[in-house]
């Protein structure tokens, strides 16, 4: 009997998610009784706010269990259009431009599928979220990397972008606040990048999933707000998972020019059909119940900020490690290259000897670094810093 299987070129060309793999390994060790400090997953350790859960429960009890419109329930699309007009300062946004999808990750995938054909180039600044290159490959497109250098807070410059653009370039991916670095582009920096993209007539996918998670007075800015021309070339993706601890709900959003929104809706109609109906009412509460949403977000932000500073200070005290002070999301991205090994070996030995899980920077296109998520309990941060210091001290001997 032939037990070998020939898989499609699409699935054979992609890699599994390294962040989920690290998290799974840490959970497996914990399940086996090990005292594991896991800094791998990009998932808030808070519960979803009660008012959001109750809104979804109410919808479920009211029988909102049938198919929703492909692009999402109308009240949620209306509320998000208003949010983009008022909060993000993007003029003229209508509900017809909004699509609700099954997660922020799927929002990115749908956007790339709608815009990219085989052979197109997708410019992806490094360090990047691990899934961007694989999404491009699933469209038959070619990822093209531009290095965001550590000395520039991991952000690319307009000169670098201009040099990377070719006749095959179709899309630029921007993520601000950034996963994995926590860096945030200023308005001026984004305006310069958008000007280059517009001059070259390419699209921008602006991943703003962490837009509300900012610190030190930094502000997240939407490139689609700069001008009518920019709004016509920018697709803004987001969701509820990071802001409201709704990772398991799988709810993403897309705001796009109408022709692109129509194309994305058609794609979704042939894949998931629509997003889970009753949970969209939980998302609606998150958007419309502004006082409760603000209170819940403020509490989480205060905790994240405290953890950010504690972990950042602690890492920088360890000889051999340098770490930028991130201004957004819930990640730090320290340089661990002084220990004479690549990030995979460093993180593997750390997990083996100290039962501490962090994600190798090579997964994000930056092999000198490693990613820490500080969406973990304070006790995990304290234990982790102690274990990290002990591990690094041994390597320096």
């Amino acid at each position: 009997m032939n037990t070998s299987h020939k898989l499609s070129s699409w699935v054979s060309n992609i890699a599994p998610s390294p962040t989920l793999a690290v998290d799974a390994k840490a959970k497996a060790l914990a399940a086996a009784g090990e005292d594991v400090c896991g800094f791998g997953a990009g998932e808030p350790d808070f519960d979803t706010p009660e008012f959001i859960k109750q809104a979804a429960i109410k919808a479920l009890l009211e029988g909102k269990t049938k198919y929703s419109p492909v692009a999402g329930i109308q009240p949620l699309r209306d509320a998000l259009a208003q949010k983009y007009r008022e909060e993000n300062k993007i003029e003229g946004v209508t509900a017809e431009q909004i699509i609700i999808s099954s997660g922020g990750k799927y929002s990115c995938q749908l956007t790339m599928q709608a815009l990219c054909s085989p052979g197109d180039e997708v410019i992806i600044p490094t360090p990047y979220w691990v899934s961007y290159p694989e999404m491009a490959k699933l469209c038959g497109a070619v990822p093209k990397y531009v290095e965001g250098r550590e000395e520039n807070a991991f952000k690319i410059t307009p000169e670098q972008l201009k040099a990377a653009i070719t006749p095959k370039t179709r899309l630029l991916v921007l993520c601000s606040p950034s996963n994995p670095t926590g860096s945030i582009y200023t308005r001026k920096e984004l305006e310069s990048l958008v000007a280059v993209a517009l001059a070259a007539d390419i699209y921008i996918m602006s991943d703003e999933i962490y837009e509300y998670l900012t610190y030190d007075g930094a502000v997240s800015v939407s490139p689609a707000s700069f001008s009518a021309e920019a709004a016509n070339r920018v697709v803004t993706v987001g969701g509820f998972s990071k802001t409201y601890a709704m990772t398991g709900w799988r709810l993403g959003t897309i705001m796009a020019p109408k022709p692109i929104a129509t194309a994305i809706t058609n794609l979704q109609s042939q894949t998931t059909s629509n997003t889970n109906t009753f949970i969209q009412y939980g998302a609606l509460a998150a958007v419309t119940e502004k006082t409760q949403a603000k209170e819940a977000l403020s509490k989480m932000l205060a905790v994240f900020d405290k953890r950010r500073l504690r972990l950042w200070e602690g890492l920088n005290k360890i000889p051999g490690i340098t770490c930028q002070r991130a201004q957004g999301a819930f990640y730090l991205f320290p340089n661990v290259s002084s220990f004479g090994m690549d990030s995979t070996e460093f993180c593997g030995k750390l997990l083996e000897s100290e039962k501490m899980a962090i994600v190798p920077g090579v997964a994000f296109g930056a092999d000198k670094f490693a990613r820490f998520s500080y969406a973990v309990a304070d006790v995990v941060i304290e234990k982790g810093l102690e274990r990290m210091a002990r591990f690094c001290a041994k390597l320096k001997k």
Side-chain angles (χ1 to χ4, degrees):
M1 179 180 177
N2 185 0
T3 58
S4 63
H5 300 282
K6 184 173 175 60
L7 302 176
S8 74
S9 58
W10 300 109
V11 74
S12 301
N13 196 33
I14 63 169
S17 168
T19 52
L20 294 180
V22 168
D23 187 52
K25 191 168 185 178
K27 286 177 178 175
L29 286 170
E34 299 284 0
D35 180 19
V36 179
C37 287
F39 292 84
E43 179 174 45
D45 58 322
F46 301 99
D47 192 11
T48 304
E50 188 66 22
F51 79 98
I52 296 175
K53 292 194 290 184
Q54 288 303 320
I57 291 169
K58 181 174 182 289
L60 179 62
L61 294 175
E62 289 176 350
K64 294 183 170 71
T65 58
K66 307 300 183 184
Y67 292 127
S68 83
V70 172
I73 59 172
Q74 194 65 42
L76 180 54
R77 295 169 70 206
D78 288 336
L80 284 166
Q82 181 178 354
K83 177 259 185 197
Y84 278 114
R85 291 192 304 267
E86 295 178 357
E87 293 184 22
N88 301 72
K89 309 302 181 185
I90 305 170
E91 294 184 1
V93 179
T94 66
E96 288 72 29
Q97 296 175 253
I98 306 294
I99 304 102
I100 313 302
S101 78
S102 299
K105 181 178 285 188
Y106 193 50
S107 292
C108 293
Q109 182 67 60
L110 284 169
T111 299
M112 287 202 193
Q113 280 186 290
L115 293 176
C116 298
S117 299
D120 287 343
E121 291 179 349
V122 178
I123 294 179
I124 303 174
T126 67
Y128 49 71
W129 177 44
V130 296
S131 293
Y132 294 144
E134 310 310 314
M135 290 173 176
K137 293 174 189 176
L138 280 171
C139 301
V142 180
K144 187 167 185 179
Y145 306 112
V146 178
E147 181 186 5
R149 299 188 179 97
E150 184 179 14
E151 58 269 24
N152 194 40
F154 302 106
K155 295 182 280 190
I156 67 169
T157 66
E159 292 77 19
Q160 286 179 292
L161 175 59
K162 189 173 183 179
I165 293 173
T166 75
K168 292 184 178 181
T169 304
R170 179 68 169 167
L171 180 68
L172 165 66
V173 176
L174 291 175
C175 182
S176 177
S178 164
N179 174 6
T181 67
S183 295
I184 299 178
Y185 283 90
T186 66
R187 182 183 182 91
K188 185 176 180 181
E189 288 168 339
L190 283 173
E191 285 176 337
S192 298
L193 293 175
V194 169
V196 173
L198 293 180
D201 197 30
I202 64 174
Y203 287 100
I204 297 171
M205 184 177 80
S206 179
D207 186 347
E208 300 176 18
I209 191 77
Y210 298 98
E211 65 175 320
Y212 292 114
L213 302 182
T214 62
Y215 319 97
D216 295 339
V219 178
S220 175
V221 180
S222 294
S225 69
F226 295 162
S227 65
E229 187 182 8
N232 195 46
R233 304 300 287 182
V234 176
V235 177
T236 304
V237 299
F240 301 89
S241 59
K242 313 300 183 178
T243 302
Y244 300 110
M246 294 171 67
T247 51
W249 293 58
R250 307 314 304 138
L251 272 174
T253 63
I254 304 169
M255 194 279 290
K258 286 183 183 180
I260 299 174
T262 299
I264 290 172
T265 301
N266 290 340
L267 273 172
Q268 181 153 279
S269 76
Q270 296 291 2
T271 51
T272 62
S273 294
N274 58 271
T275 305
N276 178 308
T277 299
F278 60 85
I279 64 173
Q280 293 185 59
Y281 288 89
L284 178 61
V287 179
T288 59
E289 301 294 332
K290 296 185 182 299
T291 299
Q292 294 184 77
K294 186 176 181 180
E295 288 175 358
L297 176 59
S298 295
K299 289 177 182 177
M300 284 190 274
L301 267 178
V303 175
F304 281 147
D305 194 19
K306 179 183 174 184
R307 293 172 178 173
R308 173 184 71 110
L309 294 173
R310 175 67 188 109
L311 185 59
W312 172 70
E313 291 168 353
L315 287 172
N316 277 312
K317 287 180 180 178
I318 298 173
I321 290 180
T322 57
C323 184
Q324 297 254 350
R325 178 164 163 156
Q327 292 185 306
F330 38 66
Y331 308 108
L332 292 177
F333 203 58
N335 190 322
V336 296
S337 63
S338 71
F339 298 99
M341 60 185 79
D342 62 33
S343 61
T344 301
E345 184 181 4
F346 181 91
C347 294
K349 288 185 175 180
L350 177 63
L351 181 60
E352 181 182 348
S353 66
E354 295 291 345
K355 300 301 182 287
M356 180 172 166
I358 60 177
V359 186
V362 68
F364 308 97
D367 202 18
K368 293 181 178 180
F369 303 86
R371 192 191 77 172
F372 284 72
S373 168
Y374 51 84
V376 296
D378 292 354
V379 65
V380 175
I381 290 176
E382 295 305 325
K383 275 194 205 176
L385 286 171
E386 181 181 335
R387 295 180 188 190
M388 189 75 170
R390 183 168 59 231
F391 176 71
C392 292
K394 290 177 183 176
L395 293 178
K396 284 294 185 182
K397 285 183 179 179

